[in-house]
Amino acid sequence: MDWDLRCGDWRFQLADVEHVDALIVDAPYSKKTHTGHDAAMARLERLRNRGTERREIVYDGWSELDVRAFVKAWSPRCLGWFVTVTDHVLAPVWAAALEDAGRYVFAPLPWVAPGSRVRLVGDGPSCWTCWIVVARPRTREFTNWGTLPGAYVINADRGSHIGGKPIALMEALVRDYTRPGDLVCDPCAGYGTTLAAAVRNGRRGVGAELDPETHAKALAWLDRNARAVDMFTTHDSAPARAVEQLQLEEVTR
Ligand SMILES: C[S@@+](CC[C@H](N)C(=O)[O-])C[C@H]1O[C@@H](n2cnc3c(N)ncnc32)[C@H](O)[C@@H]1O
């Protein structure tokens, strides 16, 4: 099996993972965003007044200390790109922590879900744009690829669980920031979307999920969805396009 999703806190469950080729994580967002989300859901419920199921976030928001502890633990163990999906509050915090860890950090890339609604409570008004902070090692090997799309414009998966990212978004990140055969790590794996995206694109995935209920659902979902999709398809990727472009420029110079 090309994926391994462990149940529990990454600090203990992934202690034996010495090195990974890339880290792609969608860790909890800031407390401000969590509060805004719960307030928005409560208001929606009141407006509808028909006992709609509340979709509350069941895990705590993260602070600067959480982000810094995570980067300190994982940056030295990650041989390649470090990619994190986050909110507007924590994006600069991730960027600063990754710089301090010695990485080259790029301007954050937006993930825009077309058609998502503006939120007028909590931390709103805001549209549902997430920020993707990407950082590479300061070595020559990583200078010519990654970080090419100006933005990821990808619809949210309708009906997906709260916090779950669209598989199309995670597949795009996997293709842009990893190579076939790489070991991709997501220590805050939720329902396992990153791991599925990795396996579907010929990579391997390892991760952990804190909440046992989410972990159990993720195992069942991964069983159905984490299979290599088409081993003979050459996926179009930003790194591949970048290398082609550079080669083209060298030839025409
Ligand atoms: C935004 S969700 C990830 C969603 C995921 N990308 C998906 O598509 O399903 C963040 C997840 O991190 C988990 N988490 C938070 N702290 C953790 C920890 N210390 N160890 C492992 N998982 C943790 C939460 O339980 C939550 O499911």
mmCIF file of all heavy atoms in Angstrom, residues 170-199:
data_model
loop_
_atom_site.group_PDB
_atom_site.id
_atom_site.type_symbol
_atom_site.label_atom_id
_atom_site.label_comp_id
_atom_site.label_asym_id
_atom_site.label_seq_id
_atom_site.Cartn_x
_atom_site.Cartn_y
_atom_site.Cartn_z
ATOM 1 N N MET A 170 -5.571 19.482 -4.123
ATOM 2 C CA MET A 170 -4.433 18.775 -3.541
ATOM 3 C C MET A 170 -3.636 18.035 -4.624
ATOM 4 O O MET A 170 -2.419 17.929 -4.540
ATOM 5 C CB MET A 170 -4.907 17.811 -2.446
ATOM 6 C CG MET A 170 -5.672 18.482 -1.297
ATOM 7 S SD MET A 170 -5.009 20.071 -0.741
ATOM 8 C CE MET A 170 -3.489 19.581 0.056
ATOM 9 N N GLU A 171 -4.335 17.555 -5.668
ATOM 10 C CA GLU A 171 -3.607 16.902 -6.776
ATOM 11 C C GLU A 171 -2.731 17.916 -7.507
ATOM 12 O O GLU A 171 -1.609 17.618 -7.913
ATOM 13 C CB GLU A 171 -4.586 16.231 -7.739
ATOM 14 C CG GLU A 171 -5.212 14.984 -7.144
ATOM 15 C CD GLU A 171 -5.779 14.060 -8.213
ATOM 16 O OE1 GLU A 171 -5.036 13.677 -9.135
ATOM 17 O OE2 GLU A 171 -6.978 13.739 -8.132
ATOM 18 N N ALA A 172 -3.255 19.128 -7.687
ATOM 19 C CA ALA A 172 -2.459 20.164 -8.373
ATOM 20 C C ALA A 172 -1.207 20.472 -7.561
ATOM 21 O O ALA A 172 -0.105 20.599 -8.116
ATOM 22 C CB ALA A 172 -3.301 21.418 -8.579
ATOM 23 N N LEU A 173 -1.351 20.573 -6.244
ATOM 24 C CA LEU A 173 -0.189 20.865 -5.390
ATOM 25 C C LEU A 173 0.824 19.719 -5.442
ATOM 26 O O LEU A 173 2.038 19.945 -5.517
ATOM 27 C CB LEU A 173 -0.638 21.128 -3.950
ATOM 28 C CG LEU A 173 -1.482 22.388 -3.746
ATOM 29 C CD1 LEU A 173 -1.949 22.501 -2.292
ATOM 30 C CD2 LEU A 173 -0.702 23.645 -4.139
ATOM 31 N N VAL A 174 0.311 18.492 -5.406
ATOM 32 C CA VAL A 174 1.202 17.325 -5.470
ATOM 33 C C VAL A 174 1.986 17.344 -6.783
ATOM 34 O O VAL A 174 3.207 17.151 -6.804
ATOM 35 C CB VAL A 174 0.387 16.015 -5.330
ATOM 36 C CG1 VAL A 174 1.197 14.817 -5.825
ATOM 37 C CG2 VAL A 174 -0.030 15.806 -3.879
ATOM 38 N N ARG A 175 1.300 17.623 -7.885
ATOM 39 C CA ARG A 175 1.982 17.602 -9.186
ATOM 40 C C ARG A 175 2.988 18.749 -9.307
ATOM 41 O O ARG A 175 4.031 18.608 -9.922
ATOM 42 C CB ARG A 175 0.958 17.672 -10.323
ATOM 43 C CG ARG A 175 0.144 16.396 -10.454
ATOM 44 C CD ARG A 175 -0.522 16.302 -11.803
ATOM 45 N NE ARG A 175 -1.557 17.290 -11.980
ATOM 46 C CZ ARG A 175 -2.846 17.094 -11.699
ATOM 47 N NH1 ARG A 175 -3.233 15.930 -11.223
ATOM 48 N NH2 ARG A 175 -3.729 18.043 -11.907
ATOM 49 N N ASP A 176 2.660 19.899 -8.694
ATOM 50 C CA ASP A 176 3.529 21.066 -8.847
ATOM 51 C C ASP A 176 4.752 21.024 -7.933
ATOM 52 O O ASP A 176 5.770 21.631 -8.243
ATOM 53 C CB ASP A 176 2.744 22.359 -8.569
ATOM 54 C CG ASP A 176 1.801 22.686 -9.720
ATOM 55 O OD1 ASP A 176 1.865 21.992 -10.751
ATOM 56 O OD2 ASP A 176 1.009 23.634 -9.588
ATOM 57 N N TYR A 177 4.651 20.341 -6.796
ATOM 58 C CA TYR A 177 5.723 20.450 -5.796
ATOM 59 C C TYR A 177 6.379 19.123 -5.427
ATOM 60 O O TYR A 177 7.175 19.090 -4.479
ATOM 61 C CB TYR A 177 5.196 21.157 -4.540
ATOM 62 C CG TYR A 177 4.820 22.582 -4.854
ATOM 63 C CD1 TYR A 177 3.499 22.936 -5.061
ATOM 64 C CD2 TYR A 177 5.801 23.555 -5.017
ATOM 65 C CE1 TYR A 177 3.150 24.230 -5.403
ATOM 66 C CE2 TYR A 177 5.466 24.850 -5.366
ATOM 67 C CZ TYR A 177 4.139 25.179 -5.555
ATOM 68 O OH TYR A 177 3.812 26.462 -5.913
ATOM 69 N N THR A 178 6.033 18.055 -6.121
ATOM 70 C CA THR A 178 6.693 16.777 -5.840
ATOM 71 C C THR A 178 6.966 16.058 -7.159
ATOM 72 O O THR A 178 6.455 16.442 -8.205
ATOM 73 C CB THR A 178 5.829 15.848 -4.956
ATOM 74 O OG1 THR A 178 4.731 15.348 -5.735
ATOM 75 C CG2 THR A 178 5.264 16.573 -3.746
ATOM 76 N N ARG A 179 7.760 14.995 -7.072
ATOM 77 C CA ARG A 179 8.076 14.202 -8.265
ATOM 78 C C ARG A 179 7.533 12.787 -8.078
ATOM 79 O O ARG A 179 7.376 12.330 -6.928
ATOM 80 C CB ARG A 179 9.585 14.125 -8.446
ATOM 81 C CG ARG A 179 10.224 15.474 -8.690
ATOM 82 C CD ARG A 179 11.730 15.296 -8.804
ATOM 83 N NE ARG A 179 12.365 16.543 -9.177
ATOM 84 C CZ ARG A 179 13.358 17.113 -8.500
ATOM 85 N NH1 ARG A 179 13.834 16.536 -7.420
ATOM 86 N NH2 ARG A 179 13.897 18.235 -8.892
ATOM 87 N N PRO A 180 7.299 12.076 -9.202
ATOM 88 C CA PRO A 180 6.827 10.695 -9.083
ATOM 89 C C PRO A 180 7.746 9.887 -8.159
ATOM 90 O O PRO A 180 8.969 10.020 -8.222
ATOM 91 C CB PRO A 180 6.880 10.180 -10.528
ATOM 92 C CG PRO A 180 6.714 11.411 -11.357
ATOM 93 C CD PRO A 180 7.399 12.519 -10.604
ATOM 94 N N GLY A 181 7.132 9.079 -7.309
ATOM 95 C CA GLY A 181 7.898 8.229 -6.383
ATOM 96 C C GLY A 181 8.195 8.902 -5.057
ATOM 97 O O GLY A 181 8.584 8.234 -4.099
ATOM 98 N N ASP A 182 8.027 10.219 -4.968
ATOM 99 C CA ASP A 182 8.335 10.939 -3.730
ATOM 100 C C ASP A 182 7.453 10.473 -2.567
ATOM 101 O O ASP A 182 6.308 10.053 -2.780
ATOM 102 C CB ASP A 182 8.088 12.450 -3.914
ATOM 103 C CG ASP A 182 9.295 13.164 -4.511
ATOM 104 O OD1 ASP A 182 10.316 12.499 -4.757
ATOM 105 O OD2 ASP A 182 9.198 14.392 -4.739
ATOM 106 N N LEU A 183 7.998 10.627 -1.362
ATOM 107 C CA LEU A 183 7.204 10.406 -0.152
ATOM 108 C C LEU A 183 6.675 11.767 0.317
ATOM 109 O O LEU A 183 7.450 12.668 0.642
ATOM 110 C CB LEU A 183 8.057 9.770 0.947
ATOM 111 C CG LEU A 183 7.337 9.536 2.283
ATOM 112 C CD1 LEU A 183 6.138 8.589 2.110
ATOM 113 C CD2 LEU A 183 8.302 8.972 3.333
ATOM 114 N N VAL A 184 5.344 11.895 0.307
ATOM 115 C CA VAL A 184 4.690 13.148 0.677
ATOM 116 C C VAL A 184 4.086 12.988 2.064
ATOM 117 O O VAL A 184 3.382 12.006 2.324
ATOM 118 C CB VAL A 184 3.557 13.482 -0.336
ATOM 119 C CG1 VAL A 184 2.876 14.794 0.040
ATOM 120 C CG2 VAL A 184 4.108 13.549 -1.755
ATOM 121 N N CYS A 185 4.344 13.959 2.938
ATOM 122 C CA CYS A 185 3.854 13.843 4.310
ATOM 123 C C CYS A 185 2.806 14.914 4.614
ATOM 124 O O CYS A 185 2.989 16.084 4.281
ATOM 125 C CB CYS A 185 5.038 13.989 5.265
ATOM 126 S SG CYS A 185 4.561 13.805 6.990
ATOM 127 N N ASP A 186 1.703 14.504 5.239
ATOM 128 C CA ASP A 186 0.706 15.456 5.752
ATOM 129 C C ASP A 186 0.424 15.098 7.209
ATOM 130 O O ASP A 186 -0.380 14.202 7.504
ATOM 131 C CB ASP A 186 -0.587 15.394 4.935
ATOM 132 C CG ASP A 186 -1.595 16.440 5.416
ATOM 133 O OD1 ASP A 186 -1.342 17.069 6.467
ATOM 134 O OD2 ASP A 186 -2.631 16.614 4.752
ATOM 135 N N PRO A 187 1.079 15.791 8.154
ATOM 136 C CA PRO A 187 0.923 15.436 9.577
ATOM 137 C C PRO A 187 -0.429 15.795 10.170
ATOM 138 O O PRO A 187 -0.751 15.337 11.258
ATOM 139 C CB PRO A 187 2.039 16.240 10.259
ATOM 140 C CG PRO A 187 3.009 16.592 9.163
ATOM 141 C CD PRO A 187 2.149 16.772 7.952
ATOM 142 N N CYS A 188 -1.220 16.641 9.515
ATOM 143 C CA CYS A 188 -2.570 16.996 9.981
ATOM 144 C C CYS A 188 -3.546 16.611 8.876
ATOM 145 O O CYS A 188 -4.154 17.476 8.222
ATOM 146 C CB CYS A 188 -2.650 18.491 10.275
ATOM 147 S SG CYS A 188 -1.592 19.014 11.628
ATOM 148 N N ALA A 189 -3.734 15.318 8.681
ATOM 149 C CA ALA A 189 -4.276 14.812 7.417
ATOM 150 C C ALA A 189 -5.787 14.910 7.272
ATOM 151 O O ALA A 189 -6.310 14.751 6.165
ATOM 152 C CB ALA A 189 -3.838 13.365 7.221
ATOM 153 N N GLY A 190 -6.520 15.153 8.352
ATOM 154 C CA GLY A 190 -7.975 15.221 8.234
ATOM 155 C C GLY A 190 -8.521 13.953 7.588
ATOM 156 O O GLY A 190 -8.246 12.839 8.045
ATOM 157 N N TYR A 191 -9.264 14.131 6.503
ATOM 158 C CA TYR A 191 -9.867 12.990 5.824
ATOM 159 C C TYR A 191 -8.932 12.361 4.788
ATOM 160 O O TYR A 191 -9.348 11.535 3.996
ATOM 161 C CB TYR A 191 -11.188 13.398 5.193
ATOM 162 C CG TYR A 191 -12.270 13.563 6.239
ATOM 163 C CD1 TYR A 191 -12.243 14.641 7.109
ATOM 164 C CD2 TYR A 191 -13.276 12.620 6.398
ATOM 165 C CE1 TYR A 191 -13.190 14.800 8.095
ATOM 166 C CE2 TYR A 191 -14.242 12.764 7.379
ATOM 167 C CZ TYR A 191 -14.186 13.849 8.223
ATOM 168 O OH TYR A 191 -15.126 13.998 9.206
ATOM 169 N N GLY A 192 -7.694 12.788 4.768
ATOM 170 C CA GLY A 192 -6.689 12.102 3.951
ATOM 171 C C GLY A 192 -6.599 12.565 2.513
ATOM 172 O O GLY A 192 -6.020 11.862 1.674
ATOM 173 N N THR A 193 -7.098 13.770 2.214
ATOM 174 C CA THR A 193 -7.110 14.218 0.817
ATOM 175 C C THR A 193 -5.694 14.313 0.236
ATOM 176 O O THR A 193 -5.467 13.922 -0.915
ATOM 177 C CB THR A 193 -7.801 15.601 0.701
ATOM 178 O OG1 THR A 193 -8.940 15.615 1.551
ATOM 179 C CG2 THR A 193 -8.244 15.862 -0.715
ATOM 180 N N THR A 194 -4.746 14.800 1.031
ATOM 181 C CA THR A 194 -3.367 14.927 0.519
ATOM 182 C C THR A 194 -2.793 13.556 0.184
ATOM 183 O O THR A 194 -2.136 13.378 -0.848
ATOM 184 C CB THR A 194 -2.455 15.607 1.576
ATOM 185 O OG1 THR A 194 -3.081 16.807 2.012
ATOM 186 C CG2 THR A 194 -1.087 15.916 1.011
ATOM 187 N N LEU A 195 -3.045 12.581 1.066
ATOM 188 C CA LEU A 195 -2.501 11.246 0.831
ATOM 189 C C LEU A 195 -3.114 10.629 -0.432
ATOM 190 O O LEU A 195 -2.415 10.012 -1.246
ATOM 191 C CB LEU A 195 -2.763 10.344 2.045
ATOM 192 C CG LEU A 195 -1.692 10.361 3.140
ATOM 193 C CD1 LEU A 195 -1.394 11.751 3.651
ATOM 194 C CD2 LEU A 195 -2.078 9.454 4.289
ATOM 195 N N ALA A 196 -4.421 10.816 -0.605
ATOM 196 C CA ALA A 196 -5.076 10.289 -1.809
ATOM 197 C C ALA A 196 -4.508 10.965 -3.048
ATOM 198 O O ALA A 196 -4.209 10.300 -4.056
ATOM 199 C CB ALA A 196 -6.585 10.513 -1.723
ATOM 200 N N ALA A 197 -4.325 12.290 -2.969
ATOM 201 C CA ALA A 197 -3.788 13.028 -4.123
ATOM 202 C C ALA A 197 -2.391 12.513 -4.471
ATOM 203 O O ALA A 197 -2.043 12.366 -5.646
ATOM 204 C CB ALA A 197 -3.737 14.519 -3.798
ATOM 205 N N ALA A 198 -1.604 12.215 -3.440
ATOM 206 C CA ALA A 198 -0.247 11.711 -3.676
ATOM 207 C C ALA A 198 -0.292 10.372 -4.412
ATOM 208 O O ALA A 198 0.343 10.195 -5.460
ATOM 209 C CB ALA A 198 0.489 11.570 -2.341
ATOM 210 N N VAL A 199 -1.075 9.438 -3.885
ATOM 211 C CA VAL A 199 -1.108 8.094 -4.465
ATOM 212 C C VAL A 199 -1.682 8.120 -5.877
ATOM 213 O O VAL A 199 -1.186 7.435 -6.780
ATOM 214 C CB VAL A 199 -1.912 7.143 -3.544
ATOM 215 C CG1 VAL A 199 -2.087 5.785 -4.194
ATOM 216 C CG2 VAL A 199 -1.213 7.013 -2.199
#
